[in-house]
Amino acid sequence: MSKGKVTREYILTTAFQLASENGLESLTIGGLAKLCGMSKSGLFAHFNSKDNLQLAVLQHANEVFKERVIAPARVSEGISVEQKLRTLLDNWLGWNHSFQGSCMFLDAWREQELEPTEIQIALKKTVSVWVQYLSIQIQKGIDSGEFRHDIDAEQVTFELYGLYLSANMFYSIKGQEKSYQHFWSGVERFMESWKAN
């Protein structure tokens, strides 16, 4: 890997941690340059604008998400769909909590009154791909007979996402233990209702 790529990777790793702690909007060329021990012009040369920096960090976060959430579940062979889903959900719930107890993608999401920005378009794509991936896993359980044939994979995914959103909100109010407890209580209830007799 070239020196330029190594430096860029270091910048993105640092920026990801900073954005995870304070939100994507907190990232500035000047602030990040100081944190990385670089000149503002030196860091600027890697991204050319604050928007490009934030977009690169979002793309980096997407790779971290795949590495922490999806990859560990993929290497587990010979497990049931339910077991794979449990691994995915556990990884999903804690993927970004090591920083601020919140999901970076949720923090970066905001409604746009005007045309959506490039960052918001990329964010929507990231979340959409994950939602589709979850839905596919549930459909596999339906197709294999592990889950009831009459459940709707899209509806189930919607309900799981609702639990995730609630868990993130409760994390900031009640802390990790309570938010996890409520999340898994909901998951257990859902999974029991999905199972084929």
Side-chain angles (χ1 to χ4, degrees):
M1 188 180 290
S2 68
K3 183 180 178 181
K5 287 184 178 179
V6 170
T7 301
R8 182 182 172 88
E9 187 67 23
Y10 170 69
I11 294 169
L12 287 175
T13 300
T14 305
F16 171 70
Q17 182 167 350
L18 185 64
S20 295
E21 293 170 349
N22 303 310
L24 193 63
E25 285 298 315
S26 70
L27 289 179
T28 63
I29 297 289
L32 185 59
K34 186 176 180 179
L35 196 62
C36 291
M38 299 174 64
S39 68
K40 187 174 178 179
S41 59
L43 192 141
F44 185 83
H46 285 275
F47 303 100
N48 299 317
S49 72
K50 178 181 176 180
D51 284 349
N52 284 344
L53 167 64
Q54 291 181 347
L55 186 59
V57 172
L58 188 59
Q59 292 167 342
H60 178 79
N62 190 38
E63 292 306 311
V64 173
F65 183 86
K66 291 176 184 176
E67 178 184 306
R68 293 184 182 179
V69 178
I70 298 175
R74 281 184 170 163
V75 298
S76 303
E77 297 182 7
I79 63 173
S80 67
V81 174
E82 179 183 345
Q83 289 172 312
K84 183 176 182 180
L85 274 172
R86 286 180 182 277
T87 300
L88 286 169
L89 294 175
D90 189 45
N91 295 342
W92 183 29
L93 191 61
W95 87 275
N96 208 195
H97 284 172
S98 57
F99 296 103
Q100 67 164 354
S102 185
C103 175
M104 183 178 155
F105 297 133
L106 294 181
D107 290 342
W109 195 288
R110 66 182 187 280
E111 291 297 326
Q112 295 291 312
E113 294 181 5
L114 303 175
E115 289 296 315
T117 65
E118 191 175 359
I119 292 170
Q120 293 300 308
I121 291 170
L123 181 60
K124 183 177 180 180
K125 181 179 179 182
T126 292
V127 175
S128 295
V129 167
W130 168 238
V131 167
Q132 183 181 24
Y133 182 80
L134 263 183
S135 187
I136 288 171
Q137 305 316 305
I138 293 161
Q139 189 61 52
K140 286 180 179 178
I142 297 169
D143 295 341
S144 68
E146 191 173 332
F147 299 150
R148 295 192 345 252
H149 67 86
D150 60 336
I151 68 171
D152 185 319
E154 188 173 321
Q155 178 63 33
V156 166
T157 305
F158 175 87
E159 292 168 352
L160 286 175
Y161 218 102
L163 286 177
Y164 180 72
L165 293 173
S166 296
N168 272 271
M169 183 190 71
F170 266 74
Y171 193 107
S172 61
I173 299 172
K174 298 289 187 178
Q176 178 176 315
E177 185 177 349
K178 276 287 186 182
S179 66
Y180 278 33
Q181 180 183 333
H182 288 305
F183 177 81
W184 285 110
S185 178
V187 168
E188 294 295 342
R189 215 167 41 247
F190 282 157
M191 286 191 169
E192 194 59 37
S193 71
W194 302 342
K195 291 179 181 178
N197 294 325

